[in-house]
């Protein structure tokens, strides 16, 4: 029996299920929002994350979720954070679960431990290759895809868990390919093509998920939903029209579950550039030029811009019909809370004037050093973070 299976259950009632909460929020005049975090590498980082949760909980997110390291490397800590988010802060928690390098028995243990603790929400992901391994390969006796994981959860746990899955508005990064030019691309392909640029704006390449591959992506997403997924959380994107087109395509394919838009919070310029390059994300030209015009040595300036951009993107998504927003926080609070407050969301008991000046004045406390921020962003490649990596 694994160490995870021996984790002592907490005395707790079953948590609310996200699928049901999203259904209840349909037509609600006030949009919801949610936050995603990843397990820190050090005990000090864990305590800092608990401080973040204490700071962010009063804003009343619909839920928070915690990522799962490749091969279950953070299994116990992910479970602990999920439990403590509920116990200490009264937050509805969503636990990521991947099957990368995970034997079946380890998945069984993880689900049992979650169930024993009253955790009722799982984000089922394939996950990414472990560090140092370029391609994902299933292990003997393990699962081969998120679809297998969703089917297993439904077969063995029926409706106890509300199950979410990942969606890729621009196509899965593994299906995104380089093309020589924009000539010959369809209207849909032009709508999701990523233009690679140098810092001065010079175009250096084009990347796109071709239509045939995108159809397969949608078919696979529908298969995950048909297998029992209750909701979809998208990979990060920076163009609201990409999300709108994705939702329209999903609805046409018969995917009717809620599709939650994932918004990446900007904290450093280098972090932004790494994320974009890693995921081949479409970046509108104005956003790229705005970001390149910011000071490379002034992270405060990047965060102020990140709040402004996040508010504008959030407004576009809400106007387009999204009932809420999911934020990839990178374990930091300033930009996420700045966007939430800028949109007029959050608990009425919380000061909603989260201005740039307040961000600037508290930046040292919030960031705990820009070098640590950069290392956190770099470390995301070891996790199943939907907004940053290719988990399917």
């Amino acid at each position: 029996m694994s160490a995870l299976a021996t984790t002592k259950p907490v005395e707790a009632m079953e948590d609310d299920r996200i699928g049901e909460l999203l259904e209840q929020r349909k037509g609600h005049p006030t949009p919801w929002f949610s936050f995603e975090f990843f397990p820190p590498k050090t005990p000090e980082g864990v305590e800092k994350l608990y401080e973040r949760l204490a700071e962010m909980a009063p804003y009343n997110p619909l839920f928070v979720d915690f990522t799962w390291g490749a091969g279950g490397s953070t299994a116990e800590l992910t479970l602990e954070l999920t439990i403590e988010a509920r116990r200490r802060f009264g937050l509805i928690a969503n636990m990521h679960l991947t099957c990368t390098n995970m034997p079946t028995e380890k998945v069984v243990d993880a689900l049992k431990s979650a169930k024993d603790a009253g955790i009722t929400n799982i984000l089922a992901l394939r996950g990414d290759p472990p560090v140092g391994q370029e391609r994902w390969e299933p292990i003997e006796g393990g699962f081969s895809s998120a679809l297998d994981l969703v089917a297993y959860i439904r077969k063995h746990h029926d409706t106890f868990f509300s199950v979410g899955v990942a969606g890729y508005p621009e196509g899965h990064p593994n299906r995104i390919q380089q093309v020589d030019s924009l000539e010959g691309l369809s209207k849909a392909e032009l709508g999701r093509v990523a233009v690679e640029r140098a810092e001065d704006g010079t175009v250096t390449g084009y990347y796109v998920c071709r239509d045939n591959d995108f159809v397969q992506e949608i078919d696979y997403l529908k298969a995950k939903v048909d297998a029992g997924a209750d909701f979809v959380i998208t990979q990060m994107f920076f163009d609201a029209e990409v999300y709108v087109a994705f939702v329209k395509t999903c609805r046409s394919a018969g995917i009717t579950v809620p599709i939650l838009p994932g918004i990446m919070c900007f904290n450093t310029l280098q972090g932004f550039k790494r994320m974009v390059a890693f995921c081949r994300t479409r970046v509108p030209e104005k956003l790229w030029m705005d970001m390149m015009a910011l000071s490379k040595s002034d992270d405060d300036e990047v965060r102020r811009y990140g709040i402004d951009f996040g508010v504008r993107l959030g407004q576009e998504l809400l106007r387009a019909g999204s009932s809420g927003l999911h934020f990839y926080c990178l374990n930091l609070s300033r930009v996420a809370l700045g966007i939430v407050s800028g949109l007029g969301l959050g608990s009425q008991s919380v000061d909603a004037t989260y201005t740039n000046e307040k961000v600037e004045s508290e930046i040292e406390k919030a960031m705990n050093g820009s070098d640590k921020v950069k290392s956190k962003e770099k470390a995301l490649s070891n996790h199943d973070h939907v907004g940053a990596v290719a988990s399917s």
Side-chain angles (χ1 to χ4, degrees):
M1 181 177 291
S2 73
L4 180 60
T6 62
T7 300
K8 183 179 179 181
V10 296
E11 295 294 330
M13 295 176 62
E14 293 178 11
D15 212 349
D16 290 330
R17 291 166 175 80
I18 293 172
E20 296 173 359
L21 292 174
L22 292 171
E23 184 66 28
Q24 294 167 12
R25 297 285 297 204
K26 283 184 177 179
H28 196 283
T30 303
W32 56 263
F33 57 93
S34 53
F35 299 129
E36 180 175 298
F37 307 93
F38 64 90
K41 291 185 175 181
T42 66
E44 294 77 14
V46 172
E47 288 308 309
K48 180 62 67 175
L49 180 53
Y50 284 138
E51 292 177 14
R52 296 279 186 271
L53 291 171
E55 177 187 10
M56 300 170 85
Y59 283 74
N60 291 333
L62 186 67
F63 67 91
V64 296
D65 62 13
F66 299 93
T67 67
W68 182 275
S73 57
T74 67
E76 293 186 13
L77 182 53
T78 295
L79 181 64
E80 174 196 318
L81 292 169
T82 306
I83 292 171
E84 292 302 304
R86 299 176 62 232
R87 188 182 70 83
R88 295 194 197 184
F89 310 110
L91 295 165
I92 295 169
N94 185 32
M95 187 179 86
H96 289 211
L97 181 61
T98 74
C99 49
T100 294
N101 282 34
M102 290 273 288
T104 300
E105 57 267 24
K106 198 164 187 177
V107 173
V108 171
D109 289 349
L111 290 169
K112 181 181 184 303
S113 296
K115 194 170 187 177
D116 288 345
I119 296 166
T120 60
N121 300 295
I122 299 289
L123 190 67
L125 303 161
R126 186 198 70 187
D128 291 285
V131 176
Q133 183 177 316
E134 289 189 7
R135 297 187 63 83
W136 184 91
E137 295 180 1
I139 65 170
E140 186 176 353
F143 295 87
S144 63
S145 67
L147 174 59
D148 290 345
L149 184 53
V150 173
Y152 178 89
I153 292 172
R154 285 294 176 239
K155 178 180 179 180
H156 294 277
H157 296 279
D158 196 25
T159 58
F160 179 85
F161 293 106
S162 182
V163 180
V165 293
Y168 298 86
E170 298 167 355
H172 193 287
N174 287 353
R175 291 187 181 272
I176 293 175
Q177 59 183 275
Q178 187 168 13
V179 294
D180 294 332
S181 72
L182 301 180
E183 292 183 13
L185 296 186
S186 70
K187 181 178 180 181
E189 289 169 342
L190 289 171
R192 59 178 179 266
V193 67
V195 180
E196 184 180 70
R197 295 182 177 89
E199 292 191 10
D200 64 0
T202 303
V203 174
T204 57
Y206 303 101
Y207 296 86
V208 67
C209 179
R210 302 306 296 262
D211 286 337
N212 288 341
D213 287 333
F214 196 72
V215 168
Q216 293 182 46
E217 284 287 296
I218 298 299
D219 288 345
Y220 179 62
L221 179 57
K222 187 174 189 304
K224 291 192 288 186
V225 172
D226 290 346
D230 299 310
F231 60 96
V232 176
I233 301 180
T234 76
Q235 171 106 318
M236 69 174 183
F237 58 88
F238 303 120
D239 185 343
E241 288 303 313
V242 167
Y243 171 79
V244 171
F246 179 65
V247 172
K248 183 177 180 180
T249 301
C250 287
R251 299 306 183 223
S252 297
I255 299 170
T256 60
V257 299
I259 300 174
L260 288 54
I263 298 178
M264 179 62 68
C265 296
F266 303 160
N267 288 289
T268 70
L269 184 57
Q270 289 305 312
F272 167 79
K273 291 164 69 174
R274 277 196 301 270
M275 295 290 185
V276 168
F278 188 74
C279 298
R280 298 299 183 192
T281 306
R282 174 184 175 85
V283 180
E285 183 176 6
K286 184 180 186 307
L287 171 58
W288 180 261
M289 298 308 293
D290 284 351
M291 290 294 286
M292 294 308 104
L294 299 175
S295 171
K296 295 181 177 64
S297 60
D298 188 352
D299 290 342
D300 295 2
E301 186 179 23
V302 175
R303 297 178 193 113
R304 287 194 294 271
Y305 181 83
I307 292 173
D308 179 65
F309 177 81
V311 169
R312 287 185 279 115
L313 179 59
Q315 289 171 336
E316 290 183 60
L317 294 169
L318 296 174
R319 282 197 298 266
S322 177
S323 62
L325 307 167
H326 183 69
F327 293 99
Y328 299 118
C329 299
L330 305 180
N331 285 14
L332 302 170
S333 59
R334 299 299 93 182
V335 176
L337 293 183
I339 297 170
V340 166
S341 293
L343 290 168
L345 306 179
S347 173
Q348 295 302 309
S349 64
V350 177
D351 177 15
T353 58
Y354 211 84
T355 63
N356 289 340
E357 288 73 20
K358 186 173 182 181
V359 173
E360 188 170 0
S361 68
E362 297 184 10
I363 211 72
E364 182 61 29
K365 171 188 172 184
M367 295 301 122
N368 195 27
S370 60
D371 288 342
K372 294 184 179 180
V373 177
K374 293 182 177 69
S375 66
K376 287 178 181 178
E377 290 171 331
K378 185 175 182 180
L380 280 174
S381 61
N382 299 338
H383 291 269
D384 66 284
H385 190 95
V386 179
V389 299
S391 307
S392 186

